[in-house]
Every structure is written in structure tokens, then in C-alpha cells.
Amino acid sequence: MKKYAEITGWGKCLPPAKLTNDDLATFLDTSDEWIRTRTGIEERRVSAVGTSKMAVVAARNALAAAGLDAEELDLILVGTCTPDEIIPNVASAVQRDLGNKTAAAFDLNAACSSFLYGLHYATQAIRTGAHKKVLVIGAERLTRILDWTKRESAVLFGDGAGAMILEASDVESGLLASHVTCDAEARDVLSLEFGMSFDRFGFDGIMPFNFIGQEIFKRAVKGMNTAVERVFAETGLTTDDIDSLIPHQANKRLIDYLAKMCNVPEEKTVINIQKYGNTSSATLPIAFCEAVEQGIVKPGDTIVSAVFGGGLTCGAGIIKWGQRVTPIRDNTETLPDTGETALDLILPLYQGTKAAWEKRGDE
Ligand code: ACO
């Protein structure tokens, strides 16, 4: 039995349409200054296609980086809270579009923590011998579920996908330690009330997105703190052993806090929130991809990661990168540009939701 799950491939997919803070200020009572200083976000991407299409592009790029063919995969695991459909899952669309006929394929929803949850369980599956070559994806089309009339949450999120290939290995690499947990007492501070308990016959077009930012912030700090301490204790590593920090990107102030706690300087902390906002489960694999592409991650590096999200789920991991930081085949496939601007895609959602709130009369 192989002891490790080495990361041998990495890929991302960022939709081409960019929604800037100034674009948001054309229809919301907000400003570039407020968003930039409170969150660190400057722009985010808006997808014209569904979650599974972005997931497939990220997956193809990860397979190319690993030099694998899709048929070799025996598990496809997609972290998402924005599936195209409830049934069938996104993972089956990925399997079909990649041309794989035999892998197990399922989705996992731990909101923004889904990718780290996925890495955690995929690594365990490889260690037990249950699977050998696993594709883990984080993919989200959050712009479809937001209430675009609510400035406190609408400015924070964006679309995208990222993926990694894990392969059984004897070389010490991959997720060396991880801790995933959930602070369910606070599950209502972040919720989208649109599921099977929803009254579909009374549906008036409003999908209530509850978001209590300060409470999430406070609990995220506490949860990530505990999770990071646990993975350090488990490995016996200290902050001196860490080469870089690749955290969830929900708020620049939270990233700064984590960097201080892990004693990692700014130049070794991966920050891309300014370009993409919070892409939920896609955040971590996109950040890893860019860290490798930009040379921040070097062969054999030790990386600490921490995440949190709706649930409130939370987790941390210590990852040892392998010896290869260059893709085996070209991994720069992108989505075709449909020519639609981000405002073309968002304004109908904003106008429809605004009209629905006005009709309900309780905005
Ligand atoms: N533009 C302008 N003003 C705004 C905006 C906006 N977009 N949003 C809120 N404000 C106003 C508020 O109305 C408030 O005004 P008031 O003082 O007159 O009442 C003021 O700005 C301050 O609002 P706060 O909520 O106190 O601002 P805060 O500094 O806490 O920042 C934020 C809010 C950015 C949401 C922060 O709390 C945060 O990042 N929380 C964590 C969120 C998060 O990380 N979520 C991740 C999980 S997501 C998932 O799992 C899918």
C-alpha cells in the first residue's frame, strides 16, 4: 500500500468576463473604495456557462499537467455548492466530458471548504488502497445564487474552477496532515434557503441569501486558528518549516491575520482575492495553480493551508509539494469567450430580483 497521495497535476478555469467594483457601483450603493479597503477585492469573474463546464476545463488542465489520460482516473470528486442540477451530479458530467467510463464520481458540499475536504478524503482513499489516481475539483458559479440587490454579500463572490490530480506514491508528498471540522451551531449565519424544503409553488423569484458577515469573520478566525494549530501539532512542524501560506480567499484582512499567525511574510503568502473575490471551493486549487505558475511554490516546498465556509465548515492542511513544478503537457486551456460582458450577465439577475422584492413589498 502506498503511503502518500502526491499532487501530480494542477489546473484552473477562470471565465473571461470581469466584473469590477466600479461596475457594481453602477447598480448598487457601494464604492470601489469600500470594497477594496474592507475586503481587498478589485474584480471578480462571471461565468456564462455552468459549473460543470468550468470544472471540465480545470480538469483537462490538471490531467495535462500530470501527463495522464482521463481513462486512468479511478475517482472524480467535485467540491461545489452550485451544481448545475441536483441530480445528476457535476462529477458525472465531468466524467462524461473527459471520456472516462469507469471512475467513481461524486460531489461534495462543504461550501468554501469543499476542496480541502475533498483533498482530505481523497488522500485517505489513496492511503487505504481504495483508489490510486484521483481528480479533485473545486468549481462554483456563485454569481447565479447571489441576491444582487444585497450589497453586503453581492460584492464578495465570483465564479471559477480549479483541480488537482492525486496519485499514490511512496515519496513523502501531498497532504501530510489535515483537520476538517464544522461549527454547526452557527450554520444559519450563512445560508441559501433554496432546496427541497423550499415552497416551489409559492416561489416568487427570491432565493434568500442570509449572510451575517461579522459573525462569519469571528468564527472563521477561531476555527482556522484551531485547525492550523492541530495540523502543526500532528506533524511536529513549526512555522519555521513553512515555505508558503495558501489560504482561502474570503477577505484580505482574514488572510493577513492568518499570515501573522503562521509567521509567513507577505511575499510567501498567496493572495489573489483582488482578481477573483471569493470563489468558494474553487479558491484553493486556483490559488495553488497560480502559486506554482508564478514560482512561489518550489520543488519539495512545505505549504500550510486553511479554509472555512458555510456550515460553518473549517479546516487546515500541511502539504508537501513534489519535485515537479512544470506541467508535463500544456495546461492553459480556457473557456471560449462568448462576447458577453459581466454586466450583460448580471444585470438581468439584479433587475429580476429587485422587481421580485418590490412585488413582495418587504425589501
Ligand atoms: N458597500 C458599501 N457599504 C457597505 C457594503 C458595501 N458593499 N456592505 C456593507 N456596507 C456597510 C454596512 O451597511 C455598514 O454600514 P453602517 O455602519 O452604516 O451600518 C458598514 O458598511 C459596515 O458593515 P460591516 O458589516 O460592519 O463591515 P465589515 O467590516 O464587517 O465587513 C465583510 C463586512 C466584508 C462582509 C466582513 O464581515 C467579512 O469579510 N466577513 C467574512 C465573510 C466571509 O468570509 N465569508 C466566507 C464564507 S462564504 C461561503 O462559504 C460560501
Side-chain angles (χ1 to χ4, degrees):
M1 210 106 68
K2 307 271 186 193
K3 222 172 136 198
Y4 298 101
E6 183 171 353
I7 299 164
T8 58
W10 53 95
K12 65 182 191 301
C13 171
L14 275 323
K18 293 177 185 171
L19 186 71
T20 65
N21 292 344
D22 286 335
D23 288 334
L24 284 166
T26 62
F27 63 93
L28 278 179
D29 179 17
T30 189
S31 66
D32 176 55
E33 210 264 330
W34 192 96
I35 302 171
R36 213 181 268 260
T37 53
R38 296 281 181 136
T39 71
I41 302 167
E42 296 170 17
E43 59 187 32
R44 67 288 289 144
R45 302 297 177 93
V46 180
S47 181
V49 299
T51 299
S52 59
K53 289 224 161 31
M54 290 186 280
V56 168
V57 171
R60 283 206 191 104
N61 285 331
L63 284 166
L68 281 190
D69 292 326
E71 310 83 274
E72 297 180 72
L73 297 171
D74 56 14
L75 172 62
I76 298 170
L77 205 171
V78 180
T80 187
C81 57
T82 51
D84 299 336
E85 296 123 356
I86 304 284
I87 305 169
N89 58 20
V90 173
S92 60
V94 173
Q95 189 198 30
R96 178 200 56 201
D97 290 357
L98 292 179
N100 174 295
K101 296 208 178 342
T102 51
F106 70 97
D107 292 1
L108 175 165
N109 178 1
C112 299
S113 307
S114 299
F115 189 80
L116 190 72
Y117 264 65
L119 272 191
H120 174 86
Y121 289 104
T123 299
Q124 303 309 327
I126 285 176
R127 282 189 183 149
T128 63
H131 291 281
K132 293 193 169 45
K133 294 185 195 298
V134 180
L135 168 63
V136 185
I137 301 174
E140 304 283 7
R141 195 183 184 194
L142 291 155
T143 59
R144 300 297 285 187
I145 61 167
L146 295 175
D147 180 338
W148 286 99
T149 68
K150 303 278 184 249
R151 66 178 183 176
E152 59 274 22
S153 47
V155 304
L156 301 175
F157 299 96
D159 300 334
M164 282 183 187
I165 302 287
L166 305 188
E167 293 188 65
S169 168
D170 286 323
V171 180
E172 188 189 40
S173 59
L175 201 53
L176 300 185
S178 51
H179 176 66
V180 290
T181 182
C182 182
D183 176 13
E185 189 198 342
R187 69 192 292 277
D188 294 331
V189 302
L190 197 159
S191 65
L192 175 76
E193 294 169 28
F194 193 73
M196 290 310 110
S197 59
F198 205 73
D199 172 14
R200 61 184 163 147
F201 300 109
F203 183 53
D204 62 0
I206 294 170
M207 305 194 317
F209 191 82
N210 306 314
F211 185 86
I212 306 176
Q214 286 192 357
E215 189 61 25
I216 302 169
F217 197 103
K218 263 195 321 216
R219 289 187 185 249
V221 167
K222 198 163 151 234
M224 288 196 293
N225 213 325
T226 310
V228 167
E229 277 172 1
R230 270 189 75 138
V231 289
F232 275 127
E234 197 179 315
T235 52
L237 297 175
T238 69
T239 53
D240 292 344
D241 302 307
I242 297 300
D243 297 299
S244 56
L245 165 67
I246 307 190
H248 182 46
Q249 313 273 318
N251 189 314
K252 171 75 165 53
R253 289 183 283 147
L254 268 171
I255 299 172
D256 293 342
Y257 166 82
L258 255 185
K260 207 163 156 204
M261 181 199 160
C262 298
N263 201 20
V264 178
E266 174 131 1
E267 65 275 12
K268 289 188 168 184
T269 301
V270 175
I271 303 173
N272 62 11
I273 190 171
Q274 69 283 5
K275 295 188 288 183
Y276 310 129
N278 179 354
T279 57
S280 187
S281 69
T283 299
L284 215 54
I286 292 171
F288 266 90
C289 236
E290 294 197 332
V292 174
E293 286 161 7
Q294 292 163 11
I296 299 171
V297 168
K298 299 199 169 43
D301 267 4
T302 305
I303 302 152
V304 63
S305 218
V307 297
F308 70 97
L312 293 175
T313 56
C314 182
I318 291 186
I319 290 153
K320 193 161 173 59
W321 202 260
Q323 288 308 309
R324 189 167 51 77
V325 288
T326 47
I328 291 179
R329 301 193 302 263
D330 175 64
N331 72 337
T332 55
E333 180 178 332
T334 55
L335 283 172
D337 192 346
T338 60
E340 287 161 293
T341 67
L343 279 177
D344 291 340
L345 296 162
I346 294 307
L347 281 179
L349 296 171
Y350 165 73
Q351 281 149 359
T353 313
K354 186 165 178 276
W357 276 116
E358 280 164 6
K359 196 161 175 215
R360 206 190 261 196
D362 59 352
E363 193 167 8

